[in-house]
Amino acid sequence: MYGSNSKIHDGITKIPGSFKKTMSAIKRSKDLGILTRANVIIMQKNFTDAQNIHDLLKSENIAYSYDISLFKSPNSTTLQLLNETDIKNVFKTLGVNTSVRGADEYICNAGRGDLSINPYGNIYPCHMFKEHLGNIKTDSILDIYRESEPAKNM
């Protein structure tokens, strides 16, 4: 999720209608009983909209988490970092606990409890991974996580 409305979300994705489709897919998944969580990507282009995104998802009773986007895309080397003050202010405003994790805690849930499915059915442990684990059109998610070599190595 990149914004609380079409103007911001579609402006970042450069795909007209992507906000409407994203919200529709989240709502359909929830209606089907699928445990669904929106991933809110915070970056320079939308950090001032973070509170509105929070309010929207909360009003729709949609679970969500935050990611800070470091690069313009997974293949990019161009940083789009917020400065540390902006990051702290966004998280403080949203009431996000920014305490340091213990050494035995995972940094993220990629491959353990989260997955990302692209429009072609390719399954990734995270939207930032380049190598897909399998394809939902040809295999079950369980088989992909049990049998794919990349998943075994996570």
Side-chain angles (χ1 to χ4, degrees):
M1 173 74 66
Y2 294 97
S4 65
N5 57 55
S6 295
K7 182 178 179 182
I8 296 170
H9 183 96
D10 295 4
I12 291 171
T13 65
K14 308 274 192 263
I15 301 171
S18 62
F19 174 77
K20 185 176 178 180
K21 288 179 182 178
T22 297
M23 289 301 294
S24 176
I26 291 169
K27 289 177 182 178
R28 280 195 321 267
S29 294
K30 280 185 60 189
D31 290 346
L32 291 170
I34 299 170
L35 183 61
T36 304
R37 178 174 48 102
N39 191 34
V40 179
I41 311 297
I42 304 293
M43 60 181 71
Q44 286 177 340
K45 292 181 179 180
N46 72 353
F47 80 97
T48 58
D49 191 43
Q51 183 67 53
N52 296 329
I53 298 169
H54 164 83
D55 293 345
L56 169 68
L57 296 173
K58 189 172 182 178
S59 74
E60 296 286 342
N61 199 28
I62 297 169
Y64 55 93
S65 62
Y66 299 101
D67 277 347
I68 299 293
S69 182
L70 301 179
F71 300 99
K72 289 186 177 181
S73 73
N75 299 323
S76 175
T77 57
T78 305
L79 284 172
Q80 60 176 18
L81 273 174
L82 295 171
N83 64 49
E84 189 173 345
T85 301
D86 288 338
I87 293 169
K88 286 180 179 179
N89 286 338
V90 167
F91 286 150
K92 182 178 179 182
T93 299
L94 298 174
V96 174
N97 181 356
T98 58
S99 63
V100 177
R101 295 175 185 259
D104 59 340
E105 293 182 77
Y106 291 111
I107 294 171
C108 74
N109 209 26
R112 284 178 293 284
D114 293 348
L115 61 85
S116 179
I117 303 173
N118 76 7
Y120 308 104
N122 292 327
I123 295 178
Y124 301 83
C126 169
H127 70 280
M128 293 298 288
F129 277 55
K130 294 179 184 178
E131 185 177 7
H132 70 277
L133 305 177
N135 191 291
I136 197 164
K137 294 177 182 178
T138 57
D139 297 299
S140 75
I141 293 173
L142 190 58
D143 287 345
I144 291 168
Y145 268 84
R146 284 184 178 162
E147 297 173 17
S148 76
E149 287 304 315
K152 289 178 184 176
N153 293 325
M154 286 192 290

